[in-house]
Amino acid sequence: MSTKTVRLILPVRDPRALSRVTPGDTVLLSGELYVFRDQAHRRIAAGTFGELGGRDLSGAGVYYCAPTPAKADMPVGACGPTSSYRMDGLTEPVLALGFRVMVGKGHRGDSVRALCRKYRAVYLITWGGCGALLAGHVRAARTVAFRDLGTEAISVFAVEDFPVVVGIDVRGAALSTCCPRRLKGVSDES
Amino acid sequence: MRAVGADALARTLDALLTRVQYRLPADVLRWLMHAVRVERAPLARAALDAILRNADAAAQRSIPLCQDTGIPHILIESGPDVRLPGDVDAICSQTVEKVYRREQLRVSCVRDPLRRSSPLHACVLMSAPAPRDTVRLSVLVRGGGSENMSSSAALLPSTPPAAVEDHIVRTVAPMLCRTCPPVIVGVGIGGSFERSGWLAKRACFRRIGARSRDPFYARMERRLCERINAVGAGALAFGGVHSAMDVFIEHEPTHIATLPVTVILQCHSVRRGMVRL
């Protein structure tokens, strides 16, 4: 597998920029990254968009994360990814809003590979459990919707060279190590 | 009889709960520094390097190691010649609340598991016996991602030890892609159903390399660690040979008709500490 390092600006205005990356590539993300997870996904799937409605979300990125509160001199606290598989069943309504880049950690089900193909979207993996390190790539943060969800409210990060590895590309091809079925010693796992 | 005062307990717990959010234990750091030197899978090596740089960033800039500042587990081991304050539960809850507020740690718990309402700083208290006048206070801050990677099974009592090992490897392998390896694997064997979970959790508190005192279980721990590392998930599931830092087994007497086995994973962000009072 030959891998490369590319830079990507969010939101992604040119879909061809996403087609160029393949599993295992390193990507450095800069620009606007939406941040939300389980409870906001649940609301979006139920057709409740709150203050997200009316925004242009085409080519936008979503980061599955709930950061710790910001201390005095920083825009955000620790902000590593949460496990992405929990969002699998709630992913399509988010892609339907225009999101094309998903950032999280760990394995995702086959349904998400199919969705990446359908929407020409990508799933990117960042360093799990490295919230202090990743905080260094966030320049600003503001809450934009579902404030009542507290730490799970929707916010927007201004990120700079935020490091990720391509997990699933727009063709639905996935990084092999993130697939439990391909691990040694795993038999009939679904 | 030795008495431990409420103030001493609260002060010690405060310091411990604070330190673990920003500093990895020495044994974990040593293990990671060795792993990054020998790992050959490029993405896994980059992941191990990120984990070490994260530890530096957390310690230097006082940013929590992980945004999931978790649910702290507090283990108090005390001997028969020690008198603890009567309201240990209240002291622990109040100290957790105080530390989490002061350090601006994330409110990661909800009061109602189904209605997902009322955020709060919860904690889990565990107690165990110790010899004479010993008091050991340990904490292990557990994130939700690790806690979700737990599994209990009621195996048949006739299951041979080798098949129990197979069961453990088969259980752990698919979990590795859903949490943050390299993990510590805690295994609880025997007891009653809920005790096997307690034992697995207790096992997660052990230091890397702290083998079971029973040579039979010590050998099983070593074999399991080798087998889990051969699975191929690797650091942050990017491949390579560093899926598990160690495997710890705790066991207890059980009923002739039962063989409860619980497996609990602890992610690489081992926010663990212990002090003697």
Side-chain angles (χ1 to χ4, degrees):
Chain A
M1 184 168 58
S2 79
T3 59
K4 54 189 180 293
T5 300
V6 296
R7 289 194 141 77
L8 207 58
I9 305 293
L10 292 169
V12 181
R13 293 301 180 204
D14 180 2
R16 281 172 303 183
L18 287 186
S19 314
R20 280 196 279 269
V21 298
T22 52
D25 286 350
T26 299
V27 178
L28 299 172
L29 295 173
S30 296
E32 242 185 20
L33 183 59
Y34 281 81
V35 179
F36 54 94
R37 48 181 279 173
D38 307 65
Q39 297 304 324
H41 273 76
R42 222 170 111 182
R43 288 193 185 176
I44 291 168
T48 307
F49 306 118
E51 290 144 289
L52 213 54
R55 280 175 175 260
D56 177 13
L57 299 170
S58 55
V62 52
Y63 179 30
Y64 307 139
C65 166
T68 60
K71 289 186 181 175
D73 52 339
M74 296 196 59
V76 73
C79 55
T82 196
S83 304
S84 307
Y85 72 88
R86 293 200 313 270
M87 268 41 84
D88 284 5
L90 303 167
T91 290
E92 182 151 25
V94 171
L95 296 176
L97 283 179
F99 285 91
R100 289 297 175 267
V101 174
M102 300 171 273
V103 183
K105 72 168 160 100
H107 165 71
R108 306 203 70 168
D110 288 343
S111 63
V112 176
R113 295 175 60 175
L115 287 173
C116 284
R117 263 197 309 276
K118 179 174 170 188
Y119 288 90
R120 307 290 289 170
V122 294
Y123 167 54
L124 309 172
I125 300 170
T126 189
W127 308 129
C130 296
L133 179 71
L134 294 171
H137 294 274
V138 179
R139 298 288 167 252
R142 61 178 202 283
T143 306
V144 297
F146 300 151
R147 278 159 221 276
D148 61 299
L149 289 178
T151 188
E152 288 199 66
I154 298 183
S155 54
V156 176
F157 284 179
V159 297
E160 193 178 319
D161 291 340
F162 193 93
V164 295
V165 173
V166 178
I168 305 175
D169 69 13
V170 296
R171 290 160 284 272
L175 203 60
S176 64
T177 53
C178 290
C179 177
R181 274 193 306 274
R182 298 191 209 167
L183 296 175
K184 246 179 80 188
V186 183
S187 45
D188 27 49
E189 216 276 323
S190 61
Chain B
M1 201 60 139
R2 188 162 76 84
V4 172
D7 279 358
L9 178 61
R11 257 199 326 273
T12 312
L13 182 59
D14 185 313
L16 205 50
L17 279 170
T18 307
R19 194 185 70 208
V20 299
Q21 293 286 352
Y22 307 109
R23 287 182 190 277
L24 286 178
D27 57 316
V28 172
L29 277 173
R30 263 198 309 276
W31 190 94
L32 288 168
M33 285 190 279
H34 177 259
V36 79
R37 276 200 302 273
V38 299
E39 179 59 68
R40 303 176 101 157
L43 285 175
R45 199 169 54 233
L48 290 163
D49 180 61
I51 291 169
L52 282 164
R53 284 186 292 129
N54 183 65
D56 283 344
Q60 280 165 21
R61 305 174 69 186
S62 289
I63 306 173
L65 284 157
C66 180
Q67 74 289 340
D68 190 345
T69 52
I71 182 158
H73 289 54
I74 301 166
L75 170 66
I76 302 176
E77 296 165 289
S78 61
D81 304 335
V82 180
R83 199 172 68 244
L84 291 172
D87 48 354
V88 168
D89 287 28
I91 294 167
C92 289
S93 313
Q94 283 158 15
T95 307
V96 166
E97 179 82 31
K98 183 178 151 202
V99 170
Y100 273 61
R101 275 178 195 278
R102 185 188 64 222
E103 301 297 320
Q104 292 182 278
L105 302 174
R106 196 180 77 179
V107 188
S108 298
C109 303
V110 284
R111 200 172 294 275
D112 186 309
L114 291 183
R115 285 170 289 184
R116 313 304 290 178
S117 53
S118 310
L120 85 160
H121 295 296
C123 63
V124 174
L125 286 184
M126 301 166 68
S127 56
R132 295 179 293 278
D133 68 346
T134 305
V135 185
R136 279 189 299 261
L137 178 65
S138 305
V139 302
L140 180 66
V141 170
R142 304 233 339 128
S146 288
E147 192 64 21
N148 277 339
M149 295 304 112
S150 306
S151 162
S152 289
L155 300 187
L156 294 176
S158 56
T159 313
V164 174
E165 271 182 44
D166 291 345
H167 163 81
I168 293 167
V169 174
R170 272 200 313 273
T171 305
V172 171
M175 288 178 174
L176 292 170
C177 302
R178 293 181 165 178
T179 178
C180 289
V183 295
I184 287 172
V185 181
V187 182
I189 302 180
S192 54
F193 207 73
E194 87 287 2
R195 280 294 297 176
S196 75
W198 191 95
L199 293 168
K201 200 54 92 51
R202 173 70 187 86
C204 291
F205 279 78
R206 273 157 60 181
R207 277 202 190 95
I208 293 170
R211 290 275 68 76
S212 172
R213 276 193 293 272
D214 183 323
F216 170 81
Y217 286 100
R219 279 195 298 275
M220 194 184 242
E221 288 173 345
R222 277 199 205 92
R223 270 196 309 271
L224 279 168
C225 194
E226 275 173 30
R227 288 182 63 183
I228 290 165
N229 279 321
V231 155
L236 298 181
F238 283 121
V241 295
H242 294 100
S243 297
M245 297 192 237
D246 213 334
V247 178
F248 300 122
I249 303 172
E250 297 280 331
H251 63 98
E252 217 170 65
T254 195
H255 190 277
I256 52 169
T258 71
L259 179 50
V261 176
T262 297
V263 174
I264 296 180
L265 301 192
Q266 169 58 51
C267 68
H268 68 72
S269 197
V270 186
R271 286 148 300 163
R272 179 232 296 142
M274 191 273 278
V275 282
R276 281 165 199 278
L277 278 168

